[in-house]
Amino acid sequence: MPHSNLKELTFRGIILGALITVIFTASNVYLGLKVGMTFASSIPAAVISMAVLKFFKDSSILENNMVQTQASAAGTLSSVIFVLPGLLMMGYWNDFPFWQTMLICASGGTLGVLFTIPLRRVMVVNSDLPYPEGVAAAEILKVGNHDKGDTGVKDIAYGGVLAGVVAFLTNGLRVMADGASAWIQTGKAAFQLPMGFSLALLGAGYLIGIVGGIAMLVGLVLTWGVAVPFFTVSGDMPTDMGLIDFAMRTWKTKVRFIGVGTIGIAAIWTLLVLMKPMVEGMIHSFRMLKRGQSESDDRIDIDLSPKR
């Protein structure tokens, strides 16, 4: 059987993956609460994993892949910041009960792992989806498996030091600004051109890629170039409020909810699109449960057995 002599699930890999997951989850939670988005952690996790495990002679690409797969859960785990605060906003919760929050997160993680097994073949192996983040991480692992030189961890270290210095100057000493904005007022219409100087946002932009960046840019233009000016012109501005303050209140009370509705519709549409692959994955999983898998199958192409 191919790859039968390569280590994959190791104690050191589990510990390393857990450490990277904790760090990246904390970073994702901070970034998500600050700017409303999270980043995928597969690529930096793959780089860090190769840099650490290269000190072990018996490390393999499968072990590195296992570590980055663990760490890729950081983006998923941090998504609770978009769900649990909603319970507070609706008044269903008054605070964050520790055990209830922990059980909700644990249940979601368990269901995610269980659904990954039957859906892998349908949505990954036999799918036309591009998976740019996963493909990039796979290419990095392939290159690192053949190139034993510098794997890029120095670049991560330099970037971390630079970001730490800038954050200390902006948030600690407050000798630098972390953003600026320009307002354009035309009659009753107010347009804003917001700009951020955060290196966290710059790094997140590199990670989400050009498509995600363009989507955010389009949202920015629609928000501050179309929606906010429209509502400021059509709305009644209080006499004791300036135009800029009125525009900000309009954004908070009206325009943001349009974005929330858009996200909700996109989520529902995604579920409808994935319904067929989910059913096909379940059917395939039950078939494999009855028939079993051939011993001649490639090790990396064998699904976990539901019996075990």
Side-chain angles (χ1 to χ4, degrees):
M1 181 182 294
H3 309 97
S4 59
N5 61 334
L6 296 180
K7 290 186 176 182
E8 183 173 4
L9 187 62
T10 61
F11 180 75
R12 68 193 180 203
I14 294 175
I15 297 299
L16 178 60
L19 291 175
I20 297 176
T21 302
V22 170
I23 295 173
F24 281 3
T25 300
S27 303
N28 255 324
V29 168
Y30 170 78
L31 190 64
L33 292 175
K34 183 178 178 64
V35 299
M37 70 175 186
T38 59
F39 62 89
S41 50
S42 297
I43 293 177
V47 174
I48 295 174
S49 173
M50 289 187 298
V52 174
L53 294 181
K54 74 176 182 179
F55 293 104
F56 299 91
K57 295 182 179 180
D58 58 344
S59 63
S60 68
I61 187 174
L62 296 183
E63 187 178 14
N64 282 309
N65 183 58
M66 188 273 296
V67 173
Q68 73 85 19
T69 302
Q70 273 187 270
S72 66
T76 306
L77 293 173
S78 59
S79 298
V80 297
I81 63 173
F82 304 119
V83 179
L84 298 183
L87 298 175
L88 293 177
M89 297 177 183
M90 293 187 301
Y92 188 77
W93 278 4
N94 295 321
D95 56 7
F96 289 103
F98 175 78
W99 291 109
Q100 191 172 359
T101 303
M102 187 192 74
L103 290 175
I104 290 175
C105 296
S107 300
T110 303
L111 289 174
V113 173
L114 292 177
F115 273 98
T116 298
I117 299 172
L119 295 180
R120 182 190 73 88
R121 189 170 302 277
V122 176
M123 297 191 63
V124 178
V125 179
N126 302 325
S127 173
D128 295 329
L129 296 175
Y131 291 106
E133 184 79 17
V135 172
E139 292 301 321
I140 290 175
L141 290 174
K142 291 178 183 178
V143 172
N145 188 50
H146 298 289
D147 183 10
K148 300 302 182 182
D150 183 19
T151 56
V153 70
K154 290 183 179 179
D155 296 330
I156 294 180
Y158 293 151
V161 172
L162 178 60
V165 171
V166 173
F168 178 68
L169 294 176
T170 54
N171 300 325
L173 300 180
R174 297 187 180 277
V175 296
M176 291 177 57
D178 60 355
S181 61
W183 286 92
I184 302 175
Q185 303 181 33
T186 304
K188 293 180 61 178
F191 302 83
Q192 185 190 26
L193 180 61
M195 295 172 288
F197 308 141
S198 171
L199 292 183
L201 294 180
L202 181 63
Y206 273 100
L207 290 175
I208 64 176
I210 186 66
V211 176
I214 292 176
M216 296 184 65
L217 179 61
V218 171
L220 175 68
V221 173
L222 291 177
T223 298
W224 294 106
V226 178
V228 171
F230 171 78
F231 285 115
T232 53
V233 170
S234 59
D236 295 327
M237 184 177 65
T239 56
D240 59 343
M241 182 179 293
L243 182 58
I244 294 178
D245 293 334
F246 179 57
M248 290 299 298
R249 192 184 75 171
T250 301
W251 171 70
K252 291 180 180 179
T253 58
K254 293 184 178 181
V255 178
R256 284 202 302 179
F257 290 100
I258 297 177
V260 172
T262 304
I263 294 174
I265 294 298
I268 295 174
W269 177 256
T270 301
L271 289 176
L272 294 177
V273 171
L274 294 180
M275 191 64 66
K276 182 180 178 181
M278 288 178 62
V279 174
E280 292 177 352
M282 292 297 182
I283 294 175
H284 176 80
S285 180
F286 284 116
R287 285 177 180 174
M288 297 305 296
L289 177 62
K290 295 180 179 179
R291 185 178 58 186
Q293 301 197 59
S294 174
E295 293 297 330
S296 62
D297 288 342
D298 192 341
R299 168 186 167 186
I300 62 175
D301 195 41
I302 298 177
D303 294 327
L304 290 175
S305 173
K307 297 180 180 180
R308 301 175 183 175

